[in-house]
Amino acid sequence: MKKLLTVVTGILVTSISMAQEKRGPFQLDGTITGKDNGYVYLRYGNGFYIEDSCAIKNGAFSFQGMLSEPVLATISSNGESGIDFYLDPAQMTINIKSPAFQEATITGSGTQKDYQELLNERASVQQEMAPLSRAFEDANKLYLKAIQARKSDAELSTLKAKADAAKEKLAPLQEKARDVSYGFFRSHPDSYVTAAELRYFTSYMKPETLKSYISKLSPWLQTSIYGRELTDILEKIQNGSPGSRAQLFSQRDINGNPVSLTDFKGKYLLLDFWASWCLPCRKNNTHLKELYALYKDKGLTILSIADNDNKADEWKKAIAKDGVDIWNHVLRGLDTGKFKEDGKPQPGDIYNMYGVHAVPTEILINPEGVIIARFGSGGDDYEQLDTKLAEIF
């Protein structure tokens, strides 16, 4: 068995307030149908990252290790996407029913039992969502291609209407799917799954809602690795929410010139968090151009901050294709290589400063440098941006 510890950080040393039974050794014994040789790979970590491998002998394999607390893991073979499940510091078994790693039965982990319960509760609504999600994605792609091809306004209007109609059909099911998870979180305040999975829903919550969920977690969960991560997310969202003074930063723009938040003092500044790979963001660029044309002479300026640090060429192409080079553009400032290693927040990451976990997100700052509105991740519905600007100007 070959084990690779990519990064070990101080976060492995857990708080003494954490329940002792949540840490200790684990053993995972497994079998796999239809695969008598080769290797199985186990990847896990929170605040650290471990990749372990084990040879398959007569369709069986085994892993051992130490855990500071339960952790989400992925098990796979060569070229397979794998299965996600929760490891506990316990004796566990996994019986994989296909060499393609598509289905497995896991026993011995109370955390995994909770996770399976959540997956079962989500299953029906996700099945219902699947065709509508594909229709929405297809409609968005057609609209984006038309924008890039500079099609006529009439054709763009037709395609946008189709994309909007697909979104309207999907939205109630997306809300229903979130409600299923929220119900699980409320009924399982003692489950590690709640703390771990709640992180994926913070972009839909305003600070007061997230704070309420965190406060209802069991004390040991609040001091767990994911519990502390939730508290940090809450703090960052609050930093980027109305009433807070905008966090100062400086970054090089698309032309290599320094851009600082203080450069925009005395104007209403809209921070536009986006990415070239984000279809809703690209569709949103058309609308932002309309707003900019309407209010730029009245004191509005825009600074777009792209999640494209490892794909700068695509960032530059998207700006040119969408015709949004009429305002300032910078990258978020994320060292993607380092982030993959340790997953820790980075001081120069503008997204981290403002608690942005999904794009598009818009944050509006007044001439005095105070945040007065937030739309998208952690804020109001994006559609309310127009109303807010109309009130101001």
XYZ file of all heavy atoms in Angstrom, residues 62-149:
674
model
N -7.813 -3.421 1.113
C -7.977 -2.915 2.472
C -7.149 -1.649 2.667
O -6.027 -1.547 2.166
C -7.551 -3.975 3.487
O -7.750 -3.518 4.816
N -7.718 -0.681 3.387
C -7.022 0.563 3.720
C -7.060 0.770 5.228
O -8.044 0.409 5.897
C -7.695 1.772 3.055
C -7.576 1.808 1.565
C -8.587 1.306 0.749
C -6.460 2.369 0.968
C -8.479 1.356 -0.630
C -6.338 2.430 -0.418
C -7.354 1.914 -1.215
N -6.009 1.366 5.759
C -5.974 1.777 7.166
C -5.428 3.198 7.237
O -4.701 3.651 6.354
C -5.082 0.853 8.003
C -5.507 -0.603 8.032
C -4.975 -1.391 6.854
O -3.876 -1.136 6.389
N -5.769 -2.352 6.369
N -5.770 3.895 8.316
C -5.255 5.247 8.518
C -5.755 5.845 9.812
O -6.449 5.182 10.594
N -5.401 7.104 10.043
C -5.827 7.841 11.231
C -6.665 9.037 10.802
O -6.368 9.693 9.800
C -4.614 8.319 12.021
C -3.843 7.214 12.727
S -4.757 6.487 14.114
C -4.934 7.919 15.192
N -7.698 9.316 11.577
C -8.558 10.468 11.297
C -8.668 11.346 12.538
O -8.767 10.841 13.659
C -9.962 10.009 10.885
C -10.105 9.246 9.570
C -11.551 8.793 9.389
C -9.663 10.096 8.383
N -8.680 12.659 12.329
C -8.940 13.576 13.424
C -10.436 13.726 13.660
O -10.877 14.093 14.739
C -8.322 14.945 13.128
O -8.892 15.496 11.953
N -11.222 13.411 12.625
C -12.687 13.449 12.702
C -13.219 12.841 11.427
O -12.444 12.579 10.490
C -13.189 14.883 12.881
C -12.775 15.842 11.777
C -13.149 17.283 12.088
O -12.649 17.826 13.083
O -13.946 17.830 11.339
N -14.529 12.579 11.304
C -15.073 12.026 10.058
C -14.718 12.908 8.870
O -14.544 14.117 8.998
C -16.586 12.017 10.311
C -16.711 11.921 11.791
C -15.577 12.732 12.341
N -14.617 12.291 7.682
C -14.170 13.044 6.513
C -14.802 12.472 5.251
O -15.028 11.262 5.140
C -12.630 13.008 6.408
C -12.124 11.596 6.188
C -12.120 13.934 5.317
N -15.114 13.358 4.307
C -15.633 12.928 3.012
C -14.473 12.374 2.188
O -13.408 12.981 2.087
C -16.277 14.104 2.280
C -16.968 13.769 0.946
C -18.132 12.814 1.175
C -17.451 15.041 0.264
N -14.675 11.185 1.599
C -13.627 10.507 0.838
C -14.155 10.106 -0.535
O -15.364 10.063 -0.776
C -13.146 9.269 1.599
N -13.223 9.804 -1.438
C -13.562 9.281 -2.763
C -12.743 8.027 -2.999
O -11.533 8.009 -2.757
C -13.245 10.307 -3.867
O -13.984 11.491 -3.649
C -13.594 9.737 -5.238
N -13.401 6.968 -3.457
C -12.702 5.741 -3.799
C -12.928 5.454 -5.271
O -14.041 5.615 -5.786
C -13.160 4.559 -2.904
C -12.225 3.381 -3.072
C -14.614 4.179 -3.163
C -12.377 2.326 -1.991
N -11.844 5.077 -5.975
C -11.948 4.877 -7.414
C -10.857 3.921 -7.870
O -10.002 3.495 -7.096
C -11.802 6.214 -8.148
O -10.503 6.754 -7.942
N -10.893 3.589 -9.167
C -9.837 2.817 -9.792
C -9.297 3.640 -10.954
O -9.674 4.802 -11.129
C -10.373 1.473 -10.277
O -9.324 0.640 -10.731
N -8.406 3.068 -11.736
C -7.816 3.820 -12.842
C -8.882 4.295 -13.825
O -9.686 3.505 -14.322
C -6.800 2.951 -13.594
C -5.581 2.647 -12.754
O -5.157 3.483 -11.965
N -5.021 1.455 -12.901
N -8.878 5.600 -14.090
C -9.778 6.157 -15.089
C -11.223 6.277 -14.686
O -12.085 6.604 -15.507
N -11.557 6.025 -13.415
C -12.941 6.099 -12.955
C -13.157 7.351 -12.109
O -12.245 7.810 -11.416
C -13.297 4.862 -12.124
C -13.058 3.535 -12.838
C -13.986 3.329 -14.015
O -14.987 4.063 -14.114
O -13.692 2.442 -14.843
N -14.362 7.900 -12.160
C -14.658 9.092 -11.365
C -14.796 8.754 -9.885
O -14.538 9.595 -9.025
C -15.949 9.755 -11.865
O -17.033 8.845 -11.812
N -15.222 7.542 -9.576
C -15.261 7.104 -8.190
C -16.571 7.354 -7.482
O -17.518 7.918 -8.030
N -16.612 6.933 -6.218
C -17.790 7.069 -5.359
C -17.401 7.901 -4.145
O -16.377 7.657 -3.512
C -18.282 5.678 -4.892
C -18.688 4.825 -6.098
C -19.455 5.804 -3.917
C -18.909 3.369 -5.755
N -18.226 8.873 -3.802
C -18.003 9.681 -2.606
C -18.711 9.032 -1.421
O -19.843 8.554 -1.543
C -18.553 11.097 -2.796
C -17.760 11.889 -3.826
O -16.584 11.565 -4.047
O -18.334 12.832 -4.410
N -18.054 9.034 -0.272
C -18.657 8.503 0.949
C -17.902 9.084 2.142
O -16.854 9.730 1.990
C -18.599 6.970 0.967
C -17.210 6.415 1.117
C -16.768 5.918 2.338
C -16.316 6.403 0.048
C -15.478 5.409 2.496
C -15.039 5.891 0.192
C -14.614 5.402 1.416
N -18.434 8.859 3.350
C -17.810 9.389 4.558
C -17.057 8.295 5.311
O -17.599 7.231 5.606
C -18.859 10.015 5.470
C -19.209 11.422 5.060
C -20.235 11.656 4.149
C -18.502 12.516 5.554
C -20.558 12.938 3.750
C -18.816 13.807 5.159
C -19.842 14.014 4.260
O -20.152 15.289 3.857
N -15.796 8.612 5.606
C -14.968 7.749 6.450
C -15.156 8.148 7.902
O -15.136 9.338 8.236
C -13.494 7.932 6.093
C -12.877 7.124 4.950
C -11.452 7.603 4.717
C -12.908 5.642 5.247
N -15.316 7.170 8.761
C -15.317 7.384 10.205
C -14.092 6.693 10.810
O -13.564 5.738 10.226
C -16.574 6.768 10.839
C -17.748 7.732 10.838
O -17.554 8.900 10.509
O -18.864 7.282 11.160
N -13.626 7.134 11.972
C -12.584 6.384 12.685
C -13.217 5.121 13.265
O -13.588 5.064 14.436
C -12.118 7.367 13.768
C -13.264 8.288 13.968
C -13.963 8.396 12.659
N -13.334 4.104 12.415
C -14.058 2.883 12.793
C -13.667 1.752 11.842
O -12.911 1.948 10.887
C -15.570 3.133 12.734
N -14.195 0.562 12.112
C -14.037 -0.592 11.220
C -15.157 -0.523 10.195
O -16.342 -0.596 10.537
C -14.126 -1.890 12.016
C -14.001 -3.157 11.194
C -12.569 -3.487 10.838
O -11.676 -3.295 11.649
N -12.347 -3.973 9.626
N -14.802 -0.377 8.911
C -15.792 -0.201 7.864
C -15.595 -1.220 6.760
O -14.493 -1.744 6.568
C -15.697 1.222 7.262
C -15.934 2.343 8.238
S -15.677 3.970 7.463
C -16.844 3.877 6.104
N -16.683 -1.493 6.028
C -16.597 -2.345 4.842
C -17.261 -1.626 3.674
O -18.229 -0.871 3.855
C -17.289 -3.701 5.047
O -18.689 -3.489 5.290
C -16.686 -4.453 6.213
N -16.723 -1.882 2.468
C -17.325 -1.340 1.257
C -17.348 -2.443 0.213
O -16.324 -3.055 -0.087
C -16.569 -0.087 0.743
C -17.225 0.450 -0.536
C -15.086 -0.373 0.524
C -16.727 1.829 -0.937
N -18.513 -2.716 -0.305
C -18.690 -3.737 -1.339
C -19.122 -3.038 -2.624
O -20.262 -2.562 -2.733
C -19.730 -4.769 -0.906
C -19.308 -5.503 0.353
O -18.193 -5.994 0.446
N -20.197 -5.564 1.329
N -18.205 -2.955 -3.573
C -18.450 -2.238 -4.829
C -19.030 -3.223 -5.827
O -18.446 -4.275 -6.097
C -17.144 -1.603 -5.342
C -16.619 -0.625 -4.290
C -17.374 -0.900 -6.661
C -15.203 -0.162 -4.531
N -20.189 -2.874 -6.371
C -20.949 -3.839 -7.166
C -20.682 -3.754 -8.662
O -21.341 -4.420 -9.444
C -22.443 -3.632 -6.898
C -22.810 -3.793 -5.423
C -24.269 -3.512 -5.175
C -24.601 -3.633 -3.685
N -26.020 -3.347 -3.389
N -19.739 -2.905 -9.054
C -19.446 -2.767 -10.476
C -17.996 -2.359 -10.650
O -17.490 -1.529 -9.900
C -20.351 -1.699 -11.102
O -19.842 -1.269 -12.344
N -17.295 -2.913 -11.646
C -15.915 -2.469 -11.891
C -15.847 -1.011 -12.329
O -14.774 -0.411 -12.316
C -15.435 -3.427 -12.996
C -16.676 -3.923 -13.653
C -17.710 -3.984 -12.570
N -16.981 -0.424 -12.676
C -17.021 0.980 -13.083
C -17.233 1.917 -11.895
O -17.383 3.121 -12.065
C -18.129 1.194 -14.112
N -17.264 1.353 -10.683
C -17.389 2.153 -9.459
C -18.644 3.045 -9.485
O -18.599 4.224 -9.162
C -16.142 3.026 -9.243
C -15.001 2.282 -8.619
C -14.258 1.389 -9.371
C -14.671 2.451 -7.285
C -13.210 0.678 -8.812
C -13.623 1.756 -6.710
C -12.888 0.857 -7.478
N -19.764 2.464 -9.857
C -20.995 3.245 -9.920
C -21.926 2.991 -8.739
O -22.825 3.784 -8.484
C -21.739 2.926 -11.231
C -20.972 3.365 -12.475
C -21.636 2.932 -13.751
O -22.538 2.095 -13.732
N -21.203 3.484 -14.872
N -21.713 1.904 -8.032
C -22.620 1.565 -6.937
C -21.851 0.801 -5.867
O -20.992 -0.026 -6.175
C -23.782 0.719 -7.457
C -24.850 0.428 -6.426
C -25.980 -0.425 -6.995
O -25.935 -0.735 -8.190
O -26.881 -0.775 -6.214
N -22.165 1.083 -4.602
C -21.475 0.396 -3.509
C -22.362 0.347 -2.280
O -23.236 1.193 -2.087
C -20.164 1.097 -3.175
N -22.130 -0.670 -1.448
C -22.772 -0.776 -0.146
C -21.703 -0.561 0.921
O -20.672 -1.245 0.920
C -23.425 -2.158 0.038
O -24.413 -2.350 -0.974
C -24.088 -2.249 1.405
N -21.942 0.385 1.820
C -20.949 0.758 2.831
C -21.553 0.569 4.209
O -22.662 1.031 4.485
C -20.504 2.217 2.635
C -19.935 2.409 1.223
C -19.471 2.626 3.689
C -19.863 3.840 0.770
N -20.836 -0.118 5.085
C -21.304 -0.328 6.455
C -20.210 0.047 7.445
O -19.032 0.098 7.098
C -21.702 -1.802 6.668
O -20.568 -2.640 6.426
C -22.837 -2.204 5.740
N -20.625 0.312 8.673
C -19.676 0.599 9.741
C -19.455 2.069 10.019
O -18.775 2.427 10.984
N -20.025 2.952 9.186
C -19.858 4.397 9.364
C -21.203 5.044 9.648
O -22.088 5.073 8.789
C -19.238 5.027 8.115
O -19.331 6.434 8.167
N -21.354 5.578 10.856
C -22.588 6.282 11.179
C -22.752 7.533 10.349
O -23.871 7.916 9.970
N -21.626 8.196 10.032
C -21.685 9.407 9.217
C -22.157 9.077 7.809
O -22.976 9.798 7.230
C -20.305 10.086 9.163
O -19.810 10.258 10.487
C -20.391 11.438 8.494
N -21.654 7.973 7.243
C -22.081 7.558 5.915
C -23.559 7.184 5.919
O -24.271 7.459 4.942
C -21.245 6.375 5.423
C -21.726 5.749 4.122
C -21.724 6.713 2.951
O -21.005 7.702 2.958
N -22.535 6.432 1.945
N -24.026 6.584 7.005
C -25.446 6.246 7.102
C -26.302 7.514 7.013
O -27.327 7.543 6.320
C -25.720 5.518 8.421
C -27.153 5.027 8.579
C -27.317 4.259 9.883
C -28.757 3.775 10.043
N -28.948 3.041 11.320
N -25.869 8.587 7.697
C -26.577 9.859 7.605
C -26.528 10.408 6.181
O -27.520 10.935 5.661
C -25.956 10.887 8.556
C -26.248 10.594 10.009
O -27.128 9.757 10.288
O -25.587 11.202 10.878
N -25.349 10.301 5.559
C -25.164 10.820 4.199
C -26.073 10.084 3.219
O -26.692 10.702 2.340
C -23.706 10.663 3.788
C -23.362 11.263 2.450
C -23.698 12.577 2.133
C -22.660 10.517 1.502
C -23.357 13.132 0.902
C -22.307 11.064 0.273
C -22.659 12.366 -0.017
O -22.318 12.910 -1.232
N -26.180 8.763 3.377
C -27.049 7.983 2.496
C -28.505 8.387 2.691
O -29.282 8.425 1.725
C -26.859 6.489 2.753
C -27.547 5.599 1.717
C -27.020 5.835 0.314
O -25.819 5.763 0.073
N -27.932 6.141 -0.608
N -28.878 8.667 3.934
C -30.235 9.141 4.201
C -30.504 10.434 3.439
O -31.571 10.610 2.831
C -30.422 9.369 5.705
C -31.803 9.890 6.070
C -31.934 10.179 7.557
O -31.148 9.629 8.352
O -32.826 10.984 7.920
N -29.538 11.353 3.467
C -29.693 12.614 2.740
C -29.785 12.371 1.234
O -30.633 12.968 0.549
C -28.523 13.547 3.062
C -28.478 14.885 2.296
C -29.735 15.705 2.548
C -27.239 15.681 2.698
N -28.939 11.504 0.702
C -28.978 11.202 -0.734
C -30.318 10.600 -1.138
O -30.870 10.928 -2.196
C -27.849 10.232 -1.093
C -26.418 10.756 -0.976
C -25.428 9.654 -1.352
C -26.200 11.985 -1.840
N -30.852 9.721 -0.295
C -32.152 9.110 -0.587
C -33.255 10.154 -0.608
O -34.161 10.100 -1.449
C -32.461 8.025 0.444
C -31.541 6.827 0.335
O -30.883 6.623 -0.677
N -31.484 6.028 1.393
N -33.186 11.110 0.311
C -34.201 12.162 0.364
C -34.115 13.087 -0.847
O -35.129 13.621 -1.313
C -34.044 12.974 1.650
C -34.408 12.192 2.911
C -34.165 12.988 4.180
O -33.735 14.158 4.081
O -34.406 12.445 5.283
N -32.918 13.261 -1.371
C -32.727 14.134 -2.530
C -33.077 13.462 -3.854
O -33.339 14.124 -4.853
C -31.258 14.574 -2.613
C -30.796 15.567 -1.575
C -29.299 15.751 -1.699
N -28.771 16.801 -0.843
C -27.475 16.996 -0.625
N -26.576 16.197 -1.215
N -27.074 17.978 0.159
N -33.065 12.136 -3.876
C -33.086 11.385 -5.132
C -34.268 11.720 -6.033
O -34.102 11.961 -7.231
C -33.055 9.882 -4.842
N -35.474 11.745 -5.476
C -36.661 11.921 -6.321
C -36.695 13.298 -6.980
O -36.990 13.415 -8.174
C -37.933 11.691 -5.501
O -38.020 12.636 -4.443
N -36.377 14.333 -6.219
C -36.413 15.674 -6.795
C -35.278 15.869 -7.798
O -35.443 16.555 -8.813
C -36.380 16.760 -5.695
C -35.062 16.754 -4.947
C -36.627 18.141 -6.301
N -34.131 15.252 -7.563
C -33.034 15.369 -8.518
C -33.357 14.658 -9.821
O -32.986 15.120 -10.904
C -31.746 14.818 -7.909
C -31.163 15.724 -6.826
C -29.846 15.229 -6.271
O -29.576 14.026 -6.275
N -29.034 16.136 -5.760
N -34.062 13.543 -9.712
C -34.493 12.835 -10.920
C -35.477 13.696 -11.705
O -35.435 13.743 -12.938
C -35.142 11.502 -10.536
C -35.546 10.645 -11.721
C -36.103 9.302 -11.301
O -36.279 9.030 -10.117
N -36.377 8.438 -12.260
N -36.339 14.379 -10.996
C -37.313 15.271 -11.627
C -36.624 16.477 -12.274
O -37.051 16.972 -13.317
C -38.321 15.736 -10.570
C -39.557 16.404 -11.113
C -40.544 16.770 -10.013
O -40.289 16.431 -8.840
O -41.560 17.405 -10.328
N -35.541 16.936 -11.663
C -34.822 18.103 -12.159
C -33.988 17.826 -13.401
O -33.738 18.732 -14.207
C -33.874 18.641 -11.066
C -34.534 19.424 -9.974
S -33.326 19.839 -8.678
C -32.113 20.789 -9.635
N -33.527 16.597 -13.547
C -32.517 16.274 -14.565
C -32.867 16.769 -15.974
O -32.061 17.473 -16.604
C -32.240 14.783 -14.568
N -34.055 16.454 -16.524
C -34.339 16.920 -17.893
C -34.463 18.437 -17.991
O -34.064 19.022 -19.000
C -35.668 16.224 -18.233
C -36.283 15.890 -16.912
C -35.149 15.616 -15.990
N -34.983 19.075 -16.934
C -35.106 20.529 -16.953
C -33.739 21.202 -16.845
O -33.508 22.259 -17.449
C -36.014 20.994 -15.809
C -37.466 20.533 -15.891
C -38.260 21.025 -14.680
C -38.117 21.035 -17.177
N -32.838 20.599 -16.082
C -31.478 21.136 -15.983
C -30.775 21.079 -17.328
O -30.091 22.032 -17.733
C -30.670 20.347 -14.947
O -31.205 20.512 -13.654
N -30.951 19.957 -18.037
C -30.333 19.831 -19.365
C -30.922 20.844 -20.335
O -30.194 21.452 -21.136
C -30.523 18.409 -19.895
C -29.666 17.365 -19.184
C -29.651 16.063 -19.948
N -30.978 15.452 -19.971
C -31.418 14.581 -19.070
N -30.636 14.230 -18.055
N -32.631 14.071 -19.164
N -32.237 21.040 -20.276
C -32.887 22.005 -21.174
C -32.399 23.423 -20.905
O -32.135 24.196 -21.839
C -34.406 21.924 -21.007
N -32.252 23.766 -19.631
C -31.764 25.098 -19.268
C -30.322 25.294 -19.727
O -29.958 26.346 -20.281
C -31.886 25.291 -17.757
C -31.352 26.604 -17.255
C -31.748 27.800 -17.829
C -30.454 26.639 -16.200
C -31.258 29.022 -17.363
C -29.957 27.846 -15.726
C -30.363 29.040 -16.317
N -29.492 24.282 -19.522
C -28.091 24.375 -19.931
C -27.978 24.516 -21.450
O -27.194 25.334 -21.952
C -27.328 23.142 -19.461
C -25.841 23.178 -19.768
C -25.093 21.967 -19.236
O -25.689 21.210 -18.451
O -23.927 21.795 -19.611
N -28.768 23.739 -22.191
C -28.736 23.813 -23.655
C -29.189 25.186 -24.146
O -28.591 25.757 -25.072
C -29.623 22.719 -24.260
C -29.056 21.325 -24.045
O -27.861 21.216 -23.714
O -29.821 20.346 -24.186
N -30.246 25.720 -23.540
C -30.750 27.033 -23.948
C -29.730 28.125 -23.656
O -29.545 29.053 -24.459
C -32.068 27.327 -23.227
N -29.059 28.025 -22.523
C -28.023 29.004 -22.177
C -26.857 28.955 -23.160
O -26.306 29.988 -23.546
C -27.516 28.754 -20.753
C -28.166 29.683 -19.746
O -28.486 30.827 -20.058
N -28.368 29.200 -18.540
N -26.460 27.751 -23.537
C -25.345 27.603 -24.483
C -25.678 28.227 -25.830
O -24.837 28.906 -26.449
C -24.992 26.124 -24.645
C -24.268 25.525 -23.455
C -23.936 24.059 -23.692
C -23.174 23.464 -22.510
N -22.887 22.023 -22.700
N -26.896 28.013 -26.314
C -27.306 28.602 -27.590
C -27.303 30.121 -27.511
O -26.868 30.810 -28.448
C -28.703 28.092 -27.974
C -28.795 26.631 -28.417
C -30.250 26.229 -28.628
C -27.992 26.402 -29.694
N -27.771 30.654 -26.389
C -27.808 32.105 -26.220
C -26.391 32.669 -26.166
O -26.084 33.697 -26.785
C -28.578 32.454 -24.949
C -28.668 33.933 -24.658
C -29.204 34.814 -25.585
C -28.227 34.445 -23.440
C -29.294 36.171 -25.318
C -28.308 35.803 -23.163
C -28.851 36.660 -24.108
O -28.929 38.003 -23.854
N -25.499 31.995 -25.445
C -24.118 32.454 -25.336
C -23.422 32.427 -26.696
O -22.712 33.375 -27.056
C -23.360 31.571 -24.348
C -21.861 31.859 -24.182
C -21.634 33.300 -23.736
C -21.238 30.892 -23.185
N -23.625 31.359 -27.470
C -23.026 31.281 -28.798
C -23.523 32.416 -29.690
O -22.760 32.973 -30.493
C -23.333 29.928 -29.436
C -22.571 28.759 -28.827
C -22.911 27.459 -29.527
C -22.132 26.287 -28.925
N -22.491 24.998 -29.586
N -24.802 32.745 -29.562
C -25.363 33.834 -30.366
C -24.749 35.180 -29.988
O -24.487 36.029 -30.847
C -26.878 33.875 -30.198
N -24.503 35.378 -28.682
C -23.851 36.606 -28.218
C -22.448 36.702 -28.803
O -22.036 37.741 -29.333
C -23.793 36.644 -26.678
C -25.201 36.824 -26.090
C -22.889 37.784 -26.205
C -25.230 36.738 -24.579
N -21.712 35.598 -28.731
C -20.340 35.584 -29.226
C -20.285 35.768 -30.737
O -19.326 36.345 -31.265
C -19.666 34.272 -28.825
C -19.482 34.123 -27.318
C -18.973 32.753 -26.915
O -19.097 31.794 -27.665
N -18.397 32.663 -25.721
N -21.314 35.285 -31.434
C -21.369 35.427 -32.889
C -21.962 36.769 -33.309
O -22.103 37.027 -34.516
C -22.183 34.285 -33.487
